[in-house]
Short mmCIF file of all heavy atoms in Angstrom, two decimals:
data_model
loop_
_atom_site.label_atom_id
_atom_site.label_comp_id
_atom_site.label_asym_id
_atom_site.label_seq_id
_atom_site.Cartn_x
_atom_site.Cartn_y
_atom_site.Cartn_z
N MET G 20 -168.34 122.37 54.45
CA MET G 20 -169.66 123.04 54.40
C MET G 20 -169.53 124.40 55.09
O MET G 20 -169.36 124.46 56.30
CB MET G 20 -170.70 122.17 55.09
CG MET G 20 -172.09 122.78 55.13
SD MET G 20 -172.95 122.79 53.55
CE MET G 20 -173.33 121.06 53.36
N PRO G 21 -169.62 125.50 54.36
CA PRO G 21 -169.43 126.81 54.97
C PRO G 21 -170.56 127.24 55.88
O PRO G 21 -170.37 128.02 56.80
CB PRO G 21 -169.31 127.74 53.77
CG PRO G 21 -170.03 127.03 52.68
CD PRO G 21 -169.80 125.57 52.92
N MET G 22 -171.77 126.80 55.60
CA MET G 22 -172.89 127.19 56.46
C MET G 22 -173.87 126.03 56.58
O MET G 22 -174.05 125.24 55.66
CB MET G 22 -173.57 128.45 55.91
CG MET G 22 -173.69 128.53 54.41
SD MET G 22 -175.13 127.74 53.73
CE MET G 22 -176.39 128.83 54.30
N VAL G 23 -174.48 125.94 57.75
CA VAL G 23 -175.43 124.86 57.99
C VAL G 23 -176.71 125.46 58.58
O VAL G 23 -176.69 126.50 59.24
CB VAL G 23 -174.86 123.80 58.95
CG1 VAL G 23 -173.70 123.07 58.30
CG2 VAL G 23 -174.44 124.41 60.27
N PHE G 24 -177.80 124.78 58.33
CA PHE G 24 -179.11 125.22 58.82
C PHE G 24 -179.53 124.38 60.02
O PHE G 24 -179.35 123.17 60.04
CB PHE G 24 -180.17 125.06 57.73
CG PHE G 24 -179.89 125.86 56.49
CD1 PHE G 24 -179.30 125.27 55.39
CD2 PHE G 24 -180.23 127.20 56.42
CE1 PHE G 24 -179.03 126.01 54.24
CE2 PHE G 24 -179.98 127.95 55.28
CZ PHE G 24 -179.37 127.35 54.18
N ASP G 25 -180.10 125.04 60.99
CA ASP G 25 -180.70 124.35 62.13
C ASP G 25 -182.19 124.23 61.82
O ASP G 25 -182.95 125.19 61.98
CB ASP G 25 -180.47 125.16 63.41
CG ASP G 25 -181.09 124.49 64.64
OD1 ASP G 25 -181.90 123.56 64.47
OD2 ASP G 25 -180.77 124.92 65.76
N TYR G 26 -182.60 123.08 61.35
CA TYR G 26 -183.98 122.91 60.92
C TYR G 26 -184.97 122.86 62.09
O TYR G 26 -186.18 122.89 61.89
CB TYR G 26 -184.11 121.67 60.05
CG TYR G 26 -183.42 121.83 58.71
CD1 TYR G 26 -182.40 120.96 58.32
CD2 TYR G 26 -183.77 122.85 57.84
CE1 TYR G 26 -181.76 121.11 57.10
CE2 TYR G 26 -183.14 123.02 56.62
CZ TYR G 26 -182.14 122.14 56.26
OH TYR G 26 -181.51 122.30 55.05
N GLU G 27 -184.46 122.74 63.29
CA GLU G 27 -185.34 122.84 64.45
C GLU G 27 -185.79 124.29 64.67
O GLU G 27 -186.87 124.54 65.18
CB GLU G 27 -184.62 122.32 65.70
CG GLU G 27 -184.28 120.84 65.66
CD GLU G 27 -185.54 119.99 65.64
OE1 GLU G 27 -186.48 120.31 66.37
OE2 GLU G 27 -185.57 119.00 64.88
N ARG G 28 -184.96 125.23 64.29
CA ARG G 28 -185.28 126.64 64.47
C ARG G 28 -185.89 127.25 63.20
O ARG G 28 -186.71 128.16 63.28
CB ARG G 28 -184.02 127.42 64.83
CG ARG G 28 -183.33 126.95 66.10
CD ARG G 28 -182.12 127.80 66.42
NE ARG G 28 -182.49 129.16 66.76
CZ ARG G 28 -182.60 129.62 68.01
NH1 ARG G 28 -182.30 128.85 69.01
NH2 ARG G 28 -182.96 130.87 68.23
N CYS G 29 -185.46 126.79 62.04
CA CYS G 29 -185.89 127.38 60.77
C CYS G 29 -187.40 127.23 60.58
O CYS G 29 -187.96 126.16 60.81
CB CYS G 29 -185.15 126.67 59.63
SG CYS G 29 -185.75 127.13 57.99
N ASP G 30 -188.04 128.31 60.13
CA ASP G 30 -189.48 128.25 59.85
C ASP G 30 -189.77 128.33 58.35
O ASP G 30 -190.92 128.47 57.95
CB ASP G 30 -190.22 129.35 60.60
CG ASP G 30 -189.81 130.76 60.15
OD1 ASP G 30 -189.02 130.88 59.20
OD2 ASP G 30 -190.31 131.73 60.77
N GLY G 31 -188.71 128.28 57.53
CA GLY G 31 -188.91 128.24 56.08
C GLY G 31 -189.30 129.57 55.46
O GLY G 31 -189.87 129.60 54.37
N CYS G 32 -188.97 130.66 56.10
CA CYS G 32 -189.40 131.97 55.61
C CYS G 32 -188.77 132.34 54.26
O CYS G 32 -189.34 133.12 53.50
CB CYS G 32 -189.11 133.05 56.64
SG CYS G 32 -187.35 133.43 56.84
N GLY G 33 -187.58 131.83 54.00
CA GLY G 33 -186.92 132.11 52.73
C GLY G 33 -186.08 133.37 52.70
O GLY G 33 -185.52 133.72 51.65
N ASP G 34 -185.97 134.07 53.81
CA ASP G 34 -185.17 135.31 53.84
C ASP G 34 -183.72 135.05 53.46
O ASP G 34 -183.08 135.88 52.81
CB ASP G 34 -185.22 135.95 55.23
CG ASP G 34 -186.57 136.59 55.52
OD1 ASP G 34 -187.45 136.52 54.65
OD2 ASP G 34 -186.73 137.13 56.63
N CYS G 35 -183.18 133.92 53.88
CA CYS G 35 -181.77 133.62 53.57
C CYS G 35 -181.56 133.49 52.07
O CYS G 35 -180.57 133.99 51.53
CB CYS G 35 -181.32 132.36 54.29
SG CYS G 35 -182.40 130.93 54.01
N ALA G 36 -182.49 132.84 51.39
CA ALA G 36 -182.38 132.69 49.94
C ALA G 36 -182.51 134.05 49.25
O ALA G 36 -181.81 134.32 48.26
CB ALA G 36 -183.46 131.73 49.43
N ALA G 37 -183.36 134.90 49.78
CA ALA G 37 -183.58 136.20 49.16
C ALA G 37 -182.37 137.11 49.31
O ALA G 37 -182.07 137.90 48.42
CB ALA G 37 -184.82 136.87 49.77
N VAL G 38 -181.66 136.99 50.42
CA VAL G 38 -180.57 137.92 50.70
C VAL G 38 -179.22 137.44 50.17
O VAL G 38 -178.29 138.24 50.03
CB VAL G 38 -180.48 138.18 52.22
CG1 VAL G 38 -179.86 136.98 52.94
CG2 VAL G 38 -179.72 139.44 52.52
N CYS G 39 -179.09 136.18 49.86
CA CYS G 39 -177.79 135.63 49.45
C CYS G 39 -177.32 136.27 48.14
O CYS G 39 -177.96 136.11 47.11
CB CYS G 39 -177.89 134.12 49.28
SG CYS G 39 -176.35 133.39 48.66
N PRO G 40 -176.18 136.97 48.17
CA PRO G 40 -175.70 137.63 46.95
C PRO G 40 -175.16 136.64 45.92
O PRO G 40 -175.05 136.99 44.75
CB PRO G 40 -174.59 138.56 47.48
CG PRO G 40 -174.10 137.89 48.70
CD PRO G 40 -175.32 137.25 49.32
N GLY G 41 -174.82 135.45 46.37
CA GLY G 41 -174.31 134.44 45.44
C GLY G 41 -175.40 133.58 44.85
O GLY G 41 -175.14 132.74 43.99
N ASP G 42 -176.64 133.76 45.32
CA ASP G 42 -177.78 132.98 44.84
C ASP G 42 -177.51 131.49 44.94
O ASP G 42 -177.75 130.74 44.00
CB ASP G 42 -178.11 133.37 43.39
CG ASP G 42 -179.49 132.89 42.97
OD1 ASP G 42 -180.35 132.70 43.85
OD2 ASP G 42 -179.70 132.68 41.76
N VAL G 43 -177.00 131.09 46.10
CA VAL G 43 -176.67 129.67 46.27
C VAL G 43 -177.68 128.94 47.16
O VAL G 43 -177.65 127.72 47.25
CB VAL G 43 -175.25 129.49 46.85
CG1 VAL G 43 -174.23 130.16 45.97
CG2 VAL G 43 -175.14 130.02 48.28
N ILE G 44 -178.57 129.70 47.84
CA ILE G 44 -179.54 129.06 48.73
C ILE G 44 -180.86 128.89 48.00
O ILE G 44 -181.39 129.83 47.41
CB ILE G 44 -179.75 129.90 50.01
CG1 ILE G 44 -178.42 130.08 50.75
CG2 ILE G 44 -180.78 129.22 50.92
CD1 ILE G 44 -178.53 131.00 51.97
N TYR G 45 -181.39 127.69 48.08
CA TYR G 45 -182.69 127.38 47.48
C TYR G 45 -183.59 126.76 48.55
O TYR G 45 -183.11 126.31 49.59
CB TYR G 45 -182.51 126.41 46.31
CG TYR G 45 -181.93 127.09 45.09
CD1 TYR G 45 -180.59 127.46 45.04
CD2 TYR G 45 -182.73 127.39 43.99
CE1 TYR G 45 -180.05 128.09 43.93
CE2 TYR G 45 -182.19 128.02 42.87
CZ TYR G 45 -180.86 128.38 42.86
OH TYR G 45 -180.33 129.01 41.76
N LEU G 46 -184.87 126.73 48.25
CA LEU G 46 -185.83 126.13 49.17
C LEU G 46 -186.40 124.87 48.55
O LEU G 46 -186.68 124.84 47.35
CB LEU G 46 -186.97 127.10 49.49
CG LEU G 46 -186.58 128.41 50.17
CD1 LEU G 46 -187.80 129.31 50.29
CD2 LEU G 46 -185.98 128.16 51.54
N LYS G 47 -186.55 123.85 49.35
CA LYS G 47 -187.22 122.64 48.88
C LYS G 47 -188.39 122.36 49.81
O LYS G 47 -188.36 122.69 51.00
CB LYS G 47 -186.26 121.46 48.86
CG LYS G 47 -185.63 121.11 50.20
CD LYS G 47 -184.60 120.00 50.03
CE LYS G 47 -183.83 119.77 51.34
NZ LYS G 47 -182.73 118.80 51.16
N HIS G 48 -189.43 121.79 49.25
CA HIS G 48 -190.61 121.48 50.03
C HIS G 48 -190.55 120.03 50.48
O HIS G 48 -190.28 119.14 49.69
CB HIS G 48 -191.87 121.68 49.17
CG HIS G 48 -192.07 123.09 48.74
ND1 HIS G 48 -193.00 123.92 49.33
CD2 HIS G 48 -191.47 123.82 47.79
CE1 HIS G 48 -192.96 125.11 48.75
NE2 HIS G 48 -192.03 125.08 47.81
N ASP G 49 -190.81 119.82 51.76
CA ASP G 49 -191.01 118.44 52.20
C ASP G 49 -192.48 118.31 52.60
O ASP G 49 -193.29 119.17 52.26
CB ASP G 49 -190.04 118.05 53.31
CG ASP G 49 -190.24 118.88 54.58
OD1 ASP G 49 -191.29 119.54 54.72
OD2 ASP G 49 -189.33 118.86 55.42
N ALA G 50 -192.81 117.27 53.31
CA ALA G 50 -194.22 117.05 53.63
C ALA G 50 -194.78 118.11 54.58
O ALA G 50 -196.00 118.30 54.65
CB ALA G 50 -194.38 115.66 54.26
N VAL G 51 -193.90 118.81 55.27
CA VAL G 51 -194.37 119.72 56.31
C VAL G 51 -194.22 121.19 55.92
O VAL G 51 -195.13 121.99 56.09
CB VAL G 51 -193.59 119.45 57.62
CG1 VAL G 51 -194.04 120.41 58.72
CG2 VAL G 51 -193.78 118.00 58.06
N ARG G 52 -193.05 121.55 55.35
CA ARG G 52 -192.78 122.97 55.11
C ARG G 52 -191.61 123.13 54.15
O ARG G 52 -190.98 122.15 53.77
CB ARG G 52 -192.46 123.67 56.44
CG ARG G 52 -191.23 123.08 57.10
CD ARG G 52 -191.00 123.65 58.48
NE ARG G 52 -189.88 122.95 59.11
CZ ARG G 52 -189.49 123.19 60.36
NH1 ARG G 52 -190.11 124.09 61.08
NH2 ARG G 52 -188.49 122.53 60.87
N LYS G 53 -191.32 124.38 53.83
CA LYS G 53 -190.15 124.67 53.01
C LYS G 53 -188.90 124.65 53.87
O LYS G 53 -188.92 125.11 55.02
CB LYS G 53 -190.31 126.04 52.35
CG LYS G 53 -191.40 126.10 51.31
CD LYS G 53 -191.42 127.43 50.61
CE LYS G 53 -192.01 128.49 51.52
NZ LYS G 53 -192.21 129.78 50.81
N ARG G 54 -187.83 124.17 53.29
CA ARG G 54 -186.56 124.13 54.00
C ARG G 54 -185.46 124.63 53.07
O ARG G 54 -185.40 124.22 51.90
CB ARG G 54 -186.20 122.72 54.46
CG ARG G 54 -187.17 122.12 55.46
CD ARG G 54 -186.74 120.73 55.87
NE ARG G 54 -187.74 120.06 56.68
CZ ARG G 54 -187.83 120.15 57.99
NH1 ARG G 54 -186.97 120.89 58.65
NH2 ARG G 54 -188.76 119.51 58.66
N PRO G 55 -184.60 125.50 53.55
CA PRO G 55 -183.51 126.00 52.71
C PRO G 55 -182.36 124.99 52.65
O PRO G 55 -182.17 124.18 53.56
CB PRO G 55 -183.07 127.26 53.45
CG PRO G 55 -183.37 126.96 54.87
CD PRO G 55 -184.61 126.10 54.88
N TYR G 56 -181.64 125.04 51.58
CA TYR G 56 -180.41 124.25 51.46
C TYR G 56 -179.46 124.99 50.55
O TYR G 56 -179.87 125.85 49.76
CB TYR G 56 -180.69 122.84 50.94
CG TYR G 56 -181.12 122.77 49.50
CD1 TYR G 56 -180.23 122.39 48.50
CD2 TYR G 56 -182.43 123.09 49.12
CE1 TYR G 56 -180.61 122.34 47.17
CE2 TYR G 56 -182.83 123.03 47.79
CZ TYR G 56 -181.91 122.65 46.82
OH TYR G 56 -182.29 122.61 45.50
N ASN G 57 -178.20 124.68 50.69
CA ASN G 57 -177.16 125.32 49.88
C ASN G 57 -176.90 124.44 48.65
O ASN G 57 -176.32 123.37 48.76
CB ASN G 57 -175.88 125.48 50.72
CG ASN G 57 -174.87 126.37 50.04
OD1 ASN G 57 -174.84 126.49 48.82
ND2 ASN G 57 -174.03 127.00 50.83
N ARG G 58 -177.35 124.92 47.51
CA ARG G 58 -177.23 124.12 46.29
C ARG G 58 -175.82 124.17 45.72
O ARG G 58 -175.36 123.22 45.08
CB ARG G 58 -178.22 124.63 45.23
CG ARG G 58 -178.18 123.83 43.94
CD ARG G 58 -179.17 124.34 42.91
NE ARG G 58 -180.55 124.03 43.26
CZ ARG G 58 -181.60 124.37 42.50
NH1 ARG G 58 -181.41 125.03 41.37
NH2 ARG G 58 -182.82 124.06 42.89
N TYR G 59 -175.13 125.27 45.94
CA TYR G 59 -173.78 125.41 45.36
C TYR G 59 -172.79 125.73 46.47
O TYR G 59 -172.35 126.87 46.65
CB TYR G 59 -173.78 126.52 44.32
CG TYR G 59 -174.81 126.32 43.23
CD1 TYR G 59 -175.95 127.11 43.17
CD2 TYR G 59 -174.65 125.32 42.27
CE1 TYR G 59 -176.91 126.93 42.19
CE2 TYR G 59 -175.60 125.11 41.29
CZ TYR G 59 -176.73 125.93 41.26
OH TYR G 59 -177.67 125.72 40.29
N VAL G 60 -172.45 124.72 47.22
CA VAL G 60 -171.63 124.90 48.42
C VAL G 60 -170.32 125.59 48.10
O VAL G 60 -169.88 126.49 48.83
CB VAL G 60 -171.37 123.54 49.09
CG1 VAL G 60 -170.42 123.69 50.26
CG2 VAL G 60 -172.69 122.91 49.53
N ASP G 61 -169.69 125.21 47.02
CA ASP G 61 -168.37 125.76 46.70
C ASP G 61 -168.44 127.22 46.26
O ASP G 61 -167.41 127.87 46.13
CB ASP G 61 -167.71 124.94 45.59
CG ASP G 61 -167.34 123.54 46.06
OD1 ASP G 61 -167.25 123.34 47.29
OD2 ASP G 61 -167.14 122.66 45.21
N GLU G 62 -169.64 127.73 46.02
CA GLU G 62 -169.76 129.12 45.56
C GLU G 62 -170.17 130.08 46.66
O GLU G 62 -170.38 131.26 46.41
CB GLU G 62 -170.74 129.18 44.39
CG GLU G 62 -170.24 128.39 43.18
CD GLU G 62 -171.18 128.48 41.99
OE1 GLU G 62 -172.00 129.42 41.96
OE2 GLU G 62 -171.10 127.60 41.12
N CYS G 63 -170.30 129.58 47.88
CA CYS G 63 -170.59 130.46 49.02
C CYS G 63 -169.40 131.39 49.25
O CYS G 63 -168.26 130.94 49.30
CB CYS G 63 -170.86 129.63 50.26
SG CYS G 63 -171.00 130.60 51.77
N TRP G 64 -169.70 132.69 49.42
CA TRP G 64 -168.64 133.69 49.61
C TRP G 64 -168.30 133.90 51.08
O TRP G 64 -167.47 134.76 51.38
CB TRP G 64 -169.09 135.02 49.02
CG TRP G 64 -169.49 135.00 47.59
CD1 TRP G 64 -169.27 134.00 46.67
CD2 TRP G 64 -170.20 136.04 46.88
NE1 TRP G 64 -169.80 134.35 45.45
CE2 TRP G 64 -170.38 135.59 45.55
CE3 TRP G 64 -170.69 137.28 47.25
CZ2 TRP G 64 -171.03 136.36 44.59
CZ3 TRP G 64 -171.35 138.04 46.30
CH2 TRP G 64 -171.50 137.59 44.99
N HIS G 65 -169.01 133.24 51.95
CA HIS G 65 -168.81 133.43 53.40
C HIS G 65 -169.08 134.88 53.80
O HIS G 65 -168.43 135.41 54.69
CB HIS G 65 -167.41 133.02 53.83
CG HIS G 65 -167.06 131.62 53.45
ND1 HIS G 65 -166.40 131.31 52.29
CD2 HIS G 65 -167.30 130.44 54.07
CE1 HIS G 65 -166.23 130.00 52.20
NE2 HIS G 65 -166.77 129.46 53.26
N CYS G 66 -170.03 135.51 53.14
CA CYS G 66 -170.30 136.92 53.47
C CYS G 66 -171.06 137.05 54.79
O CYS G 66 -171.03 138.10 55.42
CB CYS G 66 -171.10 137.57 52.34
SG CYS G 66 -172.77 136.92 52.18
N GLY G 67 -171.78 136.01 55.18
CA GLY G 67 -172.51 136.04 56.44
C GLY G 67 -173.87 136.68 56.38
O GLY G 67 -174.56 136.78 57.40
N SER G 68 -174.31 137.13 55.21
CA SER G 68 -175.61 137.82 55.11
C SER G 68 -176.77 136.92 55.51
O SER G 68 -177.72 137.37 56.17
CB SER G 68 -175.82 138.32 53.68
OG SER G 68 -174.88 139.32 53.35
N CYS G 69 -176.71 135.67 55.12
CA CYS G 69 -177.81 134.76 55.46
C CYS G 69 -177.91 134.61 56.97
O CYS G 69 -179.01 134.65 57.53
CB CYS G 69 -177.60 133.41 54.78
SG CYS G 69 -176.01 132.62 55.13
N ARG G 70 -176.80 134.45 57.61
CA ARG G 70 -176.79 134.31 59.08
C ARG G 70 -177.31 135.58 59.74
O ARG G 70 -178.11 135.53 60.68
CB ARG G 70 -175.38 134.01 59.56
CG ARG G 70 -175.21 133.97 61.06
CD ARG G 70 -173.76 133.67 61.41
NE ARG G 70 -173.52 133.72 62.83
CZ ARG G 70 -173.23 134.83 63.51
NH1 ARG G 70 -173.16 135.99 62.88
NH2 ARG G 70 -173.01 134.78 64.80
N GLN G 71 -176.86 136.71 59.25
CA GLN G 71 -177.24 137.98 59.87
C GLN G 71 -178.73 138.26 59.71
O GLN G 71 -179.36 138.82 60.63
CB GLN G 71 -176.43 139.11 59.24
CG GLN G 71 -176.71 140.48 59.87
CD GLN G 71 -175.71 141.52 59.44
OE1 GLN G 71 -174.55 141.21 59.20
NE2 GLN G 71 -176.15 142.75 59.34
N ASP G 72 -179.31 137.91 58.58
CA ASP G 72 -180.70 138.26 58.31
C ASP G 72 -181.70 137.18 58.72
O ASP G 72 -182.91 137.41 58.63
CB ASP G 72 -180.87 138.57 56.83
CG ASP G 72 -180.30 139.94 56.48
OD1 ASP G 72 -179.56 140.50 57.31
OD2 ASP G 72 -180.57 140.44 55.37
N CYS G 73 -181.23 136.03 59.14
CA CYS G 73 -182.17 134.98 59.54
C CYS G 73 -182.91 135.39 60.81
O CYS G 73 -182.28 135.59 61.86
CB CYS G 73 -181.43 133.67 59.77
SG CYS G 73 -182.53 132.38 60.42
N PRO G 74 -184.23 135.50 60.77
CA PRO G 74 -184.98 135.94 61.95
C PRO G 74 -185.03 134.89 63.05
O PRO G 74 -185.41 135.20 64.18
CB PRO G 74 -186.37 136.25 61.39
CG PRO G 74 -186.48 135.42 60.17
CD PRO G 74 -185.10 135.33 59.59
N GLN G 75 -184.67 133.66 62.71
CA GLN G 75 -184.74 132.58 63.71
C GLN G 75 -183.36 132.18 64.24
O GLN G 75 -183.25 131.21 65.01
CB GLN G 75 -185.41 131.35 63.08
CG GLN G 75 -186.81 131.60 62.56
CD GLN G 75 -187.76 132.04 63.65
OE1 GLN G 75 -187.66 131.60 64.80
NE2 GLN G 75 -188.70 132.91 63.32
N GLN G 76 -182.34 132.90 63.83
CA GLN G 76 -180.97 132.52 64.21
C GLN G 76 -180.73 131.03 63.95
O GLN G 76 -180.23 130.30 64.80
CB GLN G 76 -180.68 132.85 65.68
CG GLN G 76 -180.65 134.33 66.00
CD GLN G 76 -182.05 134.92 66.20
OE1 GLN G 76 -182.84 134.37 66.94
NE2 GLN G 76 -182.34 136.01 65.52
N ALA G 77 -181.09 130.63 62.74
CA ALA G 77 -181.03 129.21 62.40
C ALA G 77 -179.88 128.86 61.48
O ALA G 77 -179.83 127.73 60.97
CB ALA G 77 -182.35 128.80 61.73
N ILE G 78 -178.97 129.80 61.24
CA ILE G 78 -177.86 129.54 60.32
C ILE G 78 -176.54 129.74 61.03
O ILE G 78 -176.34 130.75 61.72
CB ILE G 78 -177.92 130.46 59.09
CG1 ILE G 78 -179.22 130.21 58.32
CG2 ILE G 78 -176.71 130.21 58.17
CD1 ILE G 78 -179.42 131.16 57.15
N LYS G 79 -175.66 128.79 60.84
CA LYS G 79 -174.30 128.91 61.36
C LYS G 79 -173.35 128.94 60.16
O LYS G 79 -173.42 128.06 59.29
CB LYS G 79 -173.95 127.72 62.26
CG LYS G 79 -172.52 127.78 62.78
CD LYS G 79 -172.23 126.58 63.66
CE LYS G 79 -170.79 126.64 64.17
NZ LYS G 79 -170.47 125.46 65.01
N VAL G 80 -172.53 129.95 60.10
CA VAL G 80 -171.54 130.08 59.02
C VAL G 80 -170.16 129.81 59.59
O VAL G 80 -169.78 130.41 60.60
CB VAL G 80 -171.57 131.48 58.38
CG1 VAL G 80 -170.48 131.60 57.31
CG2 VAL G 80 -172.93 131.77 57.77
N THR G 81 -169.45 128.90 58.97
CA THR G 81 -168.08 128.62 59.38
C THR G 81 -167.16 129.38 58.44
O THR G 81 -167.11 129.10 57.24
CB THR G 81 -167.78 127.12 59.31
OG1 THR G 81 -168.69 126.44 60.17
CG2 THR G 81 -166.35 126.83 59.75
N PHE G 82 -166.46 130.36 58.98
CA PHE G 82 -165.58 131.18 58.16
C PHE G 82 -164.21 130.53 58.01
O PHE G 82 -163.68 129.97 58.98
CB PHE G 82 -165.42 132.57 58.77
CG PHE G 82 -166.71 133.35 58.81
CD1 PHE G 82 -167.49 133.36 59.96
CD2 PHE G 82 -167.15 134.04 57.71
CE1 PHE G 82 -168.69 134.06 59.99
CE2 PHE G 82 -168.35 134.74 57.74
CZ PHE G 82 -169.12 134.75 58.88
N PRO G 83 -163.62 130.60 56.82
CA PRO G 83 -162.27 130.07 56.63
C PRO G 83 -161.29 130.80 57.55
O PRO G 83 -161.45 132.02 57.79
CB PRO G 83 -161.97 130.37 55.15
CG PRO G 83 -163.29 130.56 54.51
CD PRO G 83 -164.18 131.15 55.57
N PRO G 84 -160.29 130.14 58.05
CA PRO G 84 -159.34 130.77 58.97
C PRO G 84 -158.72 132.04 58.42
O PRO G 84 -158.49 132.99 59.18
CB PRO G 84 -158.29 129.67 59.18
CG PRO G 84 -159.03 128.41 58.95
CD PRO G 84 -160.02 128.71 57.87
N ASP G 85 -158.47 132.09 57.11
CA ASP G 85 -157.80 133.29 56.58
C ASP G 85 -158.74 134.49 56.47
O ASP G 85 -158.31 135.58 56.10
CB ASP G 85 -157.15 133.00 55.23
CG ASP G 85 -158.12 132.53 54.16
OD1 ASP G 85 -159.32 132.39 54.50
OD2 ASP G 85 -157.69 132.32 53.03
N MET G 86 -160.03 134.30 56.80
CA MET G 86 -160.96 135.42 56.82
C MET G 86 -161.11 136.01 58.22
O MET G 86 -161.77 137.03 58.40
CB MET G 86 -162.32 135.00 56.30
CG MET G 86 -162.39 134.69 54.83
SD MET G 86 -164.05 134.26 54.27
CE MET G 86 -164.90 135.82 54.44
N LEU G 87 -160.56 135.33 59.20
CA LEU G 87 -160.75 135.75 60.58
C LEU G 87 -159.56 136.58 61.05
O LEU G 87 -158.41 136.33 60.70
CB LEU G 87 -160.89 134.52 61.49
CG LEU G 87 -162.05 133.59 61.13
CD1 LEU G 87 -162.01 132.35 62.00
CD2 LEU G 87 -163.39 134.30 61.28
N CYS G 88 -159.85 137.60 61.86
CA CYS G 88 -158.79 138.40 62.46
C CYS G 88 -158.17 137.60 63.61
O CYS G 88 -158.89 136.95 64.37
CB CYS G 88 -159.35 139.71 63.01
SG CYS G 88 -160.02 140.78 61.74
N THR G 89 -156.89 137.63 63.72
CA THR G 89 -156.24 136.89 64.81
C THR G 89 -155.44 137.84 65.67
O THR G 89 -155.18 138.97 65.30
CB THR G 89 -155.31 135.79 64.25
OG1 THR G 89 -154.36 136.40 63.37
CG2 THR G 89 -156.11 134.75 63.49
S1 SF4 H 115 -183.85 132.89 56.94
FE1 SF4 H 115 -183.62 131.43 58.65
S2 SF4 H 115 -185.71 130.86 59.21
FE2 SF4 H 115 -185.80 131.79 57.15
S3 SF4 H 115 -185.61 130.01 55.72
FE3 SF4 H 115 -183.54 130.82 56.06
S4 SF4 H 115 -182.72 129.57 57.77
FE4 SF4 H 115 -184.95 129.32 57.77
S1 SF4 H 116 -172.63 133.24 53.58
FE1 SF4 H 116 -173.27 134.72 51.95
S2 SF4 H 116 -172.80 133.69 50.01
FE2 SF4 H 116 -172.75 132.11 51.60
S3 SF4 H 116 -174.81 131.22 51.58
FE3 SF4 H 116 -174.80 132.87 53.14
S4 SF4 H 116 -175.51 134.73 52.08
FE4 SF4 H 116 -174.93 133.21 50.52
#
């Protein structure tokens, strides 16, 4: 899983879905609010845009080792 949502922090604003260049984040409604989820996990580019633009700091992106500077 390249990125995970912290639903304790997320307020369902949808900014992550709007900014994702791969269009892999969608929102689903539960009894309380909208919650984002990654519908196409294998198509995440690890660009980090969702994490960067989340106003609640509710997204953690795990980058593949070969994308990290060592
Ligand atoms: S941008 Fe952050 S707060 Fe907004 S829906 Fe996505 S994870 Fe939740
Ligand atoms: S890291 Fe980039 S491609 Fe992956 S879900 Fe976030 S915005 Fe979309």
Side-chain angles (χ1 to χ4, degrees):
M20 178 73 71
M22 38 86 70
V23 294
F24 300 98
D25 180 347
Y26 292 121
E27 295 295 318
R28 301 182 67 99
C29 172
D30 64 4
C32 71
D34 287 0
C35 53
V38 75
C39 176
D42 196 25
V43 303
I44 301 175
Y45 286 73
L46 299 175
K47 59 185 172 186
H48 296 257
D49 63 16
V51 179
R52 61 187 175 184
K53 292 185 285 187
R54 296 180 188 273
Y56 69 102
N57 191 333
R58 181 180 288 181
Y59 304 108
V60 175
D61 292 341
E62 297 182 20
C63 172
W64 304 347
H65 305 93
C66 68
S68 295
C69 55
R70 174 180 175 274
Q71 183 168 328
D72 285 13
C73 174
Q75 301 299 326
Q76 293 81 50
I78 299 175
K79 178 180 180 182
V80 177
T81 301
F82 296 96
D85 60 357
M86 291 183 68
L87 301 175
C88 296
T89 56

